Structures are given as C-alpha cells and as structure tokens.
Amino acid sequence: MNFPPPGRFPPLILDDVRGAQKMLSGVSRVTPLEGSRHLSALVGAPVQFKCENLQRTGSFKLRGAYVRISGLSPVERAAGVVAASAGNHAQGVALASALLGVRSTVFMPVGAPLPKIAATREYGAEVRLHGHVVDETLAAAQEYAQETGAVFIHPFDHPDIIAGQGTVGLEILDQCPEVRTIVVGIGGGGLAAGIAVAVKAIRPDVRIVGVQAAGAACYPPSLAAGHPVSIGSLQTMADGIKVGRPGDVPFGLVRELVDEVRTVSEDELSSALLLCLERAKMVVEPAGASPVAALLSDPESFRGPVVALLSGGNVDPLLMQRILTHGMSAAGRYLSLRLRLTDRPGALATMLGVLTVADANVLDVSHVRTDPRLGLTEAEVELHLETKGPEHCEEVAAALRGAGYLVMG
C-alpha cells in the first residue's frame, strides 16, 4: 500500500467537516437513530443505533467518496477515478462518480461477493476483477492510475474522505445532544477520525470508543508504537474493518482524539449481528455490528447515553447464513454434537425421546453405521439442535449422558 507521508496534508478541523456536510446536502441521507431496549437494559442507560446501514449504497462510504471526488479539478475529473475495494468503498465511489458525471473504474478481488459486484456495476462503475486478496487488487488499481492518469480514491487515507465521514458525527450531535459515548468500528481509521474531529471540537467531553476485530487489530500495536504498524495475518469475518495498517492521516487523529480502542472476538461479532437482526430488525454486516459486540462484551463500562454506529449493511446472503449459524451457536441457541448408541431397532427413536423431554428442537440428524471406527453393534449420530441458551445446552448434554449415551461434543 502506498500511504502519504506524515505532514503532507494540512490538519483537519471542524470547518472541513461542516463544509463536507454542506456539500453532501441532498446527496447522502441523514440516517436515523433507533433505540435498543435490550442494550439499554444491559448498559443501564439509553443506547441508540446510528443506522448508516440505511445510507445510500448501504454504508457511510458514499459520504467520503463524494466529498473527495467533488474536490477534483476539471482536468482530474476528465481523467476519471479508480478505486480498489471488496465492497462498500467500491459502491460509494461508483455512485459518487455517477452523481458527479465522472468516469469510474473499480478493481475488486476475484472472490468478491456477486451481489457487491453487481451493485457496483449498477451504480455505473466499470468493474475489473483482479487478485485474490485486497493488497493485490489495490496494487492493480494503483498501476492503472499511473498508466491512465486516473485519480486513485483511497478508502480512508485522505483528508477529504475523513471530512466526509465526519459528517456522521455532526448528525449524531444534532440527533442526540445529550450523548456521552460514541462507539464506532475502526478499519483504516477514516470514519473514527472524522467523527472524532467533529465531535471533540463541539463536545470534548464525549467519549469516543473505537472497536476492531481481534483478528485484524492494527491500531493497538500502532498506538503502542506511536506510529502506524503493519500486522501480518488478518483473520476476521468483518471485511469492512479488515485492514492491516492504519492510514497515516487518520492515525494521527485517532491517536489524538479517540479515547480508547477495544477489540472483539468473532463469537462476539456473530452474537452482535444476531442481536441486530432479531431485536432491532436491522440487517448489518459484521464490521457494522462491531460496536454492538463491544457493548455486549462489557456493557457496564460504557457511560450513557450511548450511540453505537451501524456503519454498513452490505452482507452477502451466503455469509449471513454462516454468520447467523455461528452467532446462534455462540449464544447457546444452536448445539451440534455426536454421540454413540447401540445399533438396534428403536434406538434412534429412544434417543430422540430423550431430546423431546429435554425440550431441544432437532434440526438435522445424520446416522452412520458403516464407519470402521465403530464396533459391530454401534452406530454414530450427529445432531444439530436448536436450544434456548448456554444453560439449556448443558442440560441437553447432561440428559443424554444421564441416559447412558457417549456424547463426544
């Protein structure tokens, strides 16, 4: 990745964000705040969601992309723009370019979800599939910019991008003047930096908490080192915050203005996404659910009123299916286990009777008799059950063991 050297850009101030807000009037939506009774009860204070998952293109990315492209000179606009993204930034750049009459080319990884590819094309961009990881896609986009003169639109490492994203913070202050804590997911840092610039200039008492996926947390080591640090392995379902190195421009702002950066696990992300869907009726992608995951993991550590930013809702349906299963399992709502029983008529029915008494709903049963690991009179059963929580999972397993079955987990 090519990052601008420190000091290349002038410092970002509140007036920049206010200017971006005027520019976005009639372009981006003022997304609503929605209360969460469940989280409010856990935190002991009002908790509201800032619903950028309901923004045009399904995420906050349109804001920064539009401000950045609006600032190009006529010569730069004539050359077109190019971006690299697996999803949200791609769609934001595509729509912003179309609204401004600028030609856009977007490089996306070969394995990008088909709905995101289709949406980016429908917004007007030429999509080129290149590379299997984002770094390869990014390199191809930058090479294209050098060859054609197209302006490369970085997803987070530019003041115009940050100013555009910061308009979310101005809206939060207008919609919830009494807010005391804002929780926001962090990838490269553009969104958190922009919100911090806007909010801290008006309400320095508001606490801003950034959240990263534990498997892709580049900010904690960078903040400890005092400069952006690259991390190697990135392992998280939250593609929207799956970034290996902070941006130079947002890093300085995050270090100065963001009060704390926390990490959340994959189980916590899954549980948060499930809560958003079930309790708030919100379709949210894993990155967008990261603030909810932080609230669920340690609710008593947040001062209210709290605003948690749902940054995007562009989740592939197939991934959603896997995540929901994972989230149900993490919440004790889904139990998978294997057990052995005697292979005789009625044995399976007897075992299912134990589950009926334990009030577990059987979703799927796989019955194996021919595995060489099994004894001559043994059969193995794999069960997928719907359960009511962690305690119920333990009760179901205990009921099976109490009935004499060998439960293997």
Side-chain angles (χ1 to χ4, degrees):
M1 248 183 222
N2 292 332
F3 292 89
R8 171 179 163 186
F9 298 114
L12 199 69
I13 59 175
L14 176 61
D15 284 347
D16 297 315
V17 183
R18 284 180 167 154
Q21 188 177 45
K22 292 179 181 178
M23 194 178 297
L24 288 166
S25 177
V27 176
S28 64
R29 293 173 179 151
V30 178
T31 51
L33 287 187
E34 296 287 345
S36 171
R37 285 181 294 179
H38 180 74
L39 285 175
S40 296
L42 291 177
V43 173
V47 175
Q48 298 188 76
F49 296 144
K50 175 63 172 170
C51 301
E52 280 296 286
N53 58 313
L54 303 180
Q55 184 57 262
R56 298 179 70 178
T57 75
S59 86
F60 69 95
K61 289 289 190 177
L62 171 65
R63 297 173 184 263
Y66 189 89
V67 173
R68 173 75 174 99
I69 297 170
S70 293
L72 299 180
S73 69
V75 172
E76 290 173 322
R77 290 193 186 198
V81 299
V82 61
S85 169
N88 289 346
H89 182 58
Q91 294 172 67
V93 168
L95 179 56
S97 299
L99 293 172
L100 292 165
V102 177
R103 184 179 71 256
S104 62
T105 303
V106 176
F107 284 76
M108 303 182 75
V110 173
L114 294 178
K116 293 185 178 182
I117 295 172
T120 304
R121 285 181 173 143
E122 289 173 7
Y123 287 128
E126 177 189 348
V127 175
R128 300 192 179 191
L129 302 179
H130 185 94
H132 294 279
V133 296
V134 174
D135 283 346
E136 295 172 353
T137 307
L138 183 58
Q142 291 176 324
E143 183 178 350
Y144 176 88
Q146 293 172 357
E147 292 175 352
T148 65
V151 179
F152 178 68
I153 307 299
H154 200 284
F156 50 81
D157 209 14
H158 192 280
D160 290 347
I161 294 287
I162 297 170
Q165 322 304 30
T167 60
V168 177
L170 294 180
E171 290 178 15
I172 290 173
L173 292 181
D174 182 59
Q175 294 169 312
C176 184
E178 67 278 16
V179 64
R180 297 182 69 189
T181 305
I182 296 174
V183 192
V184 55
I186 296 185
L191 177 61
I195 289 174
V197 167
V199 171
K200 289 291 189 178
I202 300 171
R203 286 277 310 281
D205 60 302
V206 172
R207 183 171 180 80
I208 298 177
V209 178
V211 184
Q212 292 208 289
C218 59
Y219 263 89
S222 297
L223 291 170
H227 58 82
V229 171
S230 297
I231 59 174
S233 177
L234 301 175
Q235 301 293 332
T236 180
M237 70 178 79
D239 287 343
I241 52 175
K242 189 177 180 180
V243 176
R245 183 186 188 276
D248 287 313
V249 180
F251 175 78
L253 296 168
V254 169
R255 180 178 58 180
E256 179 184 356
L257 299 173
V258 172
D259 296 283
E260 180 185 359
V261 176
R262 301 186 179 194
T263 61
V264 292
S265 69
E266 298 300 285
D267 283 351
E268 290 165 342
L269 285 169
S270 296
S271 297
L273 191 145
L274 186 62
L275 181 142
C276 289
L277 189 63
E278 285 192 324
R279 298 297 183 94
K281 313 308 177 193
M282 289 284 178
V283 176
V284 183
E285 61 191 85
S290 58
V292 180
L295 287 167
L296 286 173
S297 68
D298 191 9
E300 295 179 355
S301 66
F302 292 90
R303 297 183 307 163
V306 177
V307 173
L309 179 57
L310 307 182
S311 58
N314 294 318
V315 57
D316 179 56
L318 294 176
L319 176 61
M320 173 69 88
Q321 184 179 25
R322 294 197 299 271
I323 291 172
L324 289 179
T325 300
H326 186 83
M328 288 181 69
S329 180
R333 301 270 306 282
Y334 185 89
L335 176 63
S336 296
L337 49 81
R338 291 178 299 117
L339 53 85
R340 293 198 180 169
L341 46 76
T342 303
D343 188 16
R344 57 177 173 77
L348 183 58
T350 301
M351 182 269 295
L352 293 175
V354 175
L355 295 174
T356 299
V357 173
D359 202 20
N361 185 32
V362 179
L363 301 176
D364 186 50
V365 178
S366 177
H367 196 194
V368 178
R369 293 186 176 92
T370 57
D371 193 301
R373 295 173 300 141
L374 298 173
L376 186 62
T377 61
E378 286 184 322
E380 186 172 284
V381 176
E382 183 175 350
L383 295 167
H384 300 283
L385 310 171
E386 183 180 359
T387 48
K388 301 175 181 179
E391 291 183 1
H392 189 216
C393 289
E394 294 176 3
E395 291 170 3
V396 170
L400 290 168
R401 293 189 183 98
Y405 296 103
L406 175 62
V407 179
M408 294 173 283

